[in-house]
Amino acid sequence: MSLDQVRSIADAVLYEGYLLYPYRASSHKNRSRWQFGVLGPPHATAASFSEEPEMEMQCLLAPDDGPAAVTVHLRFLQLQVREVRSTGEDGVDAPVDQLTVDGVSVMSWDEAVEQEVVLTALSLQEEADTVHQVPGGEDTEPVTDARGVEVGRIVRRRLPLAVRVRTRSVVDDGYVRLSVAVRNEHPEQTVTKDAAIRSSLIGAHLLLRAHDAEFVSLLEPPAGAAAAAGRCRQRRCWPVLVGPKGTTDTLLGAPIILYDYPEVAEQSPGALFDSTEIDEILTLRVMTMTEEEKAEARATDPRAREIIDRCDSMSPADLQQLHGLLRDPHPPQPAALVGPAADVRNVEPAAFDTAGAPWWDPAADASVRPGSDAVMIDGVRVAKGSLVRVHPSRRADAQDLFFAGQVARVTAVLADVDGGTHVALVLVDDPASDLHDWYGRYFYFAPDELTPLTVEETAQHREENQP
């Protein structure tokens, strides 16, 4: 598979945060644009508010019969300062914030240049430790008016960068655990925020290609690889499989957490570069900008100009396309209950009758009754009123850690449109549990995060909590 097939995903990571709505240089939001994958200079002072200089990713491979190897692509942005200079009557130019020529403005601004470091066919049996130099430079572009008279210049400057890439491998349960570390090796001290970001690697991420080996999903590893996958450690870089679903030869190490085989929505007409915001929302926001604000955005950056022009030219049908699609997740015939009764974690299948209402309307499935539906957990029927002990394991909310081991009362069992089961509950020992129940403010956990209390434990707990 060609890397070009996954570059749309990699580019979305690379340019994440490059532009932030409202896309204008005067916006306070745009003074902290570079948000993800920033590897700062190692000798930065505290006053520069620099990011850490290093990231490291560990992934798992299943070698084939040949000499297993990987090709590593490190991709990042190198900041480029764009300075606009206006030429005076004496022929001497001086830096300005903005220069307007024939009604068109161009502004001083920070741009970025794509960079890529490639390490080809690194053997999994050997360690690698290489330092790569990324040259700086200065380019000048004249600015002329309609008569061809030079009225100014655009000067673009880049600082040189140095980056170290290290790889090492160990065998773990028959699999190979590969570590890839990237470190900014900028040799000079930086004392200001601007100096730090200009000597940083921005949007840094990794693309790995396997040769005579297959990458193993860390999100859904096969049973034999689960233990080894659990021993992989990540630092500011998260590995996921990319490419057509089912392929295992390409891996993306991203500074944001993604799922395996991420995709860019087919409805998206182009990049918006704004912190994974939803296209429809940002497009509507752009349409509310005044003509003066749009002119400033166009002068800020060529990519901002492209966004403004694209939004201005959208037809009502184009905008409607951004609203997304509704796909019926249910097969024509309800599937049979999955798994033995010893550990069934699905609610009973419903007879989906969508003749009178669309599938997403609650009226389409009268058999779904969260107040009386149940789920089997470890052979025990759990429904509204059941007492369970909470063991958070799959959530990203740090608050869940405080719930570990606590007893909760189930208020409902719900199923989402993708077939997942969610158990709503309130904590028994929470003084505000009755109030939360009255408002309908529940905590939601998956069945495998809950352990039903035994009959004896339930009786004892209810006796201890009698008013």
Side-chain angles (χ1 to χ4, degrees):
M1 182 190 67
S2 169
L3 278 183
D4 291 339
Q5 294 177 270
V6 301
R7 285 190 182 274
S8 61
I9 300 297
D11 287 346
V13 173
L14 182 65
Y15 283 99
E16 186 62 45
Y18 177 81
L19 289 172
L20 299 173
Y21 176 83
Y23 307 131
R24 306 194 313 272
S26 62
S27 169
H28 288 279
K29 186 177 182 182
N30 283 315
R31 295 174 189 175
S32 297
R33 293 159 55 198
W34 319 105
Q35 300 181 44
F36 301 106
V38 177
L39 305 185
H43 306 295
T45 64
S48 68
F49 297 98
S50 176
E51 297 277 358
E52 294 181 37
E54 191 168 7
M55 69 180 188
E56 183 172 6
M57 176 195 77
Q58 292 186 342
C59 58
L60 211 60
L61 296 102
D64 295 334
D65 295 333
V70 293
T71 293
V72 176
H73 298 254
L74 167 64
R75 307 175 75 232
F76 57 91
L77 296 177
Q78 177 185 24
L79 190 141
Q80 177 171 264
V81 178
R82 183 182 73 204
E83 181 184 74
V84 177
R85 303 181 69 90
S86 177
T87 303
E89 294 180 358
D90 57 0
V92 177
D93 58 30
V96 294
D97 292 334
Q98 179 174 324
L99 179 63
T100 301
V101 182
D102 299 327
V104 178
S105 296
V106 60
M107 305 184 71
S108 294
W109 183 248
D110 284 347
E111 302 173 331
V113 178
E114 290 185 25
Q115 299 291 353
E116 184 167 350
V117 173
V118 182
L119 287 71
T120 304
L122 300 176
S123 172
L124 294 183
Q125 298 179 351
E126 300 176 5
E127 295 187 2
D129 189 344
T130 57
V131 176
H132 305 265
Q133 304 296 329
V134 179
E138 178 174 315
D139 304 317
T140 300
E141 174 188 345
V143 178
T144 58
D145 62 16
R147 300 169 298 169
V149 177
E150 184 172 321
V151 295
R153 294 186 301 149
I154 300 174
V155 181
R156 294 178 170 89
R157 299 185 181 91
R158 301 170 300 282
L159 290 180
L161 301 175
V163 55
R164 180 185 297 271
V165 181
R166 292 175 287 119
T167 66
R168 54 187 172 86
S169 303
V170 297
V171 176
D172 189 342
D173 278 353
Y175 295 88
V176 176
R177 184 169 70 246
L178 171 67
S179 300
V180 183
V182 180
R183 180 177 173 83
N184 185 342
E185 294 287 352
H186 187 71
E188 300 175 6
Q189 185 183 62
T190 57
V191 296
T192 67
K193 185 176 180 180
D194 285 344
I197 195 63
R198 289 171 186 173
S199 50
S200 295
L201 281 64
I202 300 169
H205 63 281
L206 296 161
L207 275 176
L208 274 60
R209 293 291 306 276
H211 310 286
D212 293 315
E214 295 182 353
F215 289 108
V216 175
S217 170
L218 297 188
L219 295 176
E220 299 182 58
R231 287 187 283 270
C232 291
R233 297 292 179 263
Q234 317 303 334
R235 182 184 176 195
R236 307 182 70 206
C237 191
W238 180 254
V240 295
L241 299 173
V242 287
K245 284 184 171 60
T247 58
T248 55
D249 63 342
T250 310
L251 194 79
L252 169 64
I256 55 178
I257 295 178
L258 299 171
Y259 48 88
D260 284 337
Y261 307 113
E263 297 177 325
V264 174
E266 61 187 39
Q267 294 81 20
S268 178
L272 290 165
F273 311 115
D274 197 354
S275 300
T276 64
E277 295 270 10
I278 299 173
D279 285 22
E280 182 183 23
I281 294 175
L282 284 182
T283 301
L284 291 171
R285 287 176 175 174
V286 170
M287 290 179 172
T288 66
M289 294 170 68
T290 66
E291 291 305 316
E292 292 76 12
E293 290 171 334
K294 291 179 180 179
E296 183 186 348
R298 289 186 173 98
T300 297
D301 189 275
R303 290 183 173 88
R305 181 185 305 117
E306 180 184 340
I307 292 172
I308 301 300
D309 292 344
R310 185 171 69 235
C311 292
D312 273 357
S313 63
M314 271 190 173
S315 67
D318 293 333
L319 186 60
Q320 180 63 30
Q321 183 75 1
L322 293 184
H323 199 58
L325 299 175
L326 292 175
R327 296 183 176 93
D328 190 339
H330 305 303
Q333 298 296 326
L337 200 61
V338 178
D343 189 16
V344 176
R345 291 175 176 155
N346 295 63
V347 293
E348 295 181 359
F352 296 103
D353 178 12
T354 57
W359 62 265
W360 44 263
D361 191 325
D365 187 6
S367 67
V368 174
R369 299 177 295 275
S372 59
D373 283 338
V375 61
M376 298 294 290
I377 303 177
D378 298 333
V380 178
R381 184 179 185 275
V382 172
K384 182 177 180 179
S386 298
L387 295 183
V388 295
R389 197 173 301 276
V390 183
H391 304 287
S393 61
R394 60 165 68 184
R395 314 244 308 191
D397 192 341
Q399 179 176 285
D400 290 353
L401 299 177
F402 296 105
F403 302 157
Q406 294 200 40
V407 174
R409 175 170 51 83
V410 175
T411 61
V413 174
L414 307 101
D416 60 30
V417 296
D418 294 318
T421 302
H422 309 272
V423 181
L425 48 82
V426 292
L427 300 177
V428 171
D429 292 334
D430 184 351
S433 60
D434 290 342
L435 186 62
H436 291 326
D437 197 5
W438 186 78
Y439 274 112
R441 299 177 62 180
Y442 305 128
F443 299 110
Y444 296 89
F445 289 88
D448 58 10
E449 296 179 290
L450 307 174
T451 300
L453 267 61
T454 64
V455 175
E456 293 77 11
E457 288 175 325
T458 298
Q460 179 182 352
H461 204 279
R462 285 176 173 163
E463 181 178 347
E464 292 174 351
N465 288 274
Q466 284 290 337

